[in-house]
Amino acid sequence: MAEIDEIDDPLVEGLRPGCLVEVTSPPEDAPRLGQLISFDREANKFNVVLVDGEATTADPKCVKAAEGIRKPGQGGAPDSFDVLLSPRTPDGLIGEELAACLFEKGFCVLRLCNNAVGLEGAVETVRSMGDDGRLVRLPEEVEEG
């Protein structure tokens, strides 16, 4: 079985776990966004979770740090985001990015790496919590406006 290493230090072109990457794979021309998870040294492949929730492996020459991605409130597209979350996103990264976004812009847009099946389960859980009265508005004193 292949040895899979977590990436703690920059490994290839400064890529770290949790970073936003573009993955190109022939015959697809357009790069797909994803989050770098780990590197399989034996197979010489990166393990990446794409924004649609698909887990994939890619050759190092097909993976690069995402460039030119504009964030919400800074010229980003309607589907842009500040932080990409997957089940393997490092906790420290989430906290740092959330704090930076809230300080700079006053809001933060999170994008989940989730496939349709996972998303349906999450929506059902939130609906259930709302029906049970576990999701409520904040007191007026702490809401803006």
Side-chain angles (χ1 to χ4, degrees):
M1 182 161 180
E3 177 182 331
I4 298 177
D5 293 329
E6 293 300 318
I7 305 168
D8 294 326
D9 295 317
L11 184 63
V12 178
E13 298 179 21
L15 299 178
R16 294 183 180 275
C19 73
L20 184 64
V21 294
E22 293 178 345
V23 179
T24 54
S25 55
E28 295 176 20
D29 294 328
R32 298 169 67 189
L33 289 176
Q35 185 179 55
L36 189 64
I37 302 301
S38 62
F39 185 72
D40 183 337
R41 290 191 190 281
E42 188 174 300
N44 193 37
K45 301 274 186 189
F46 281 114
N47 296 299
V48 178
V49 176
L50 302 173
V51 294
D52 64 4
E54 176 188 346
T56 188
T57 60
D59 192 86
K61 66 183 178 200
C62 298
V63 178
K64 68 176 189 169
E67 298 174 354
I69 307 294
R70 299 187 128 182
K71 296 183 175 187
Q74 299 172 334
D79 64 346
S80 63
F81 53 90
D82 294 302
V83 181
L84 183 63
L85 296 176
S86 80
R88 302 290 299 270
T89 303
D91 292 340
L93 175 71
I94 297 169
E96 289 174 21
E97 288 296 318
L98 280 170
C101 288
L102 293 173
F103 180 75
E104 292 172 9
K105 304 185 304 185
F107 67 93
C108 186
V109 178
L110 306 177
R111 172 96 186 247
L112 299 176
C113 293
N114 232 345
N115 58 27
V117 174
L119 187 59
E120 289 172 7
V123 168
E124 183 57 38
T125 299
V126 171
R127 281 193 181 124
S128 157
M129 290 173 71
D131 293 343
D132 294 344
R134 297 188 322 192
L135 297 177
V136 296
R137 291 189 65 146
L138 294 172
E140 278 187 45
E141 297 81 23
V142 296
E143 286 190 19
E144 283 191 28

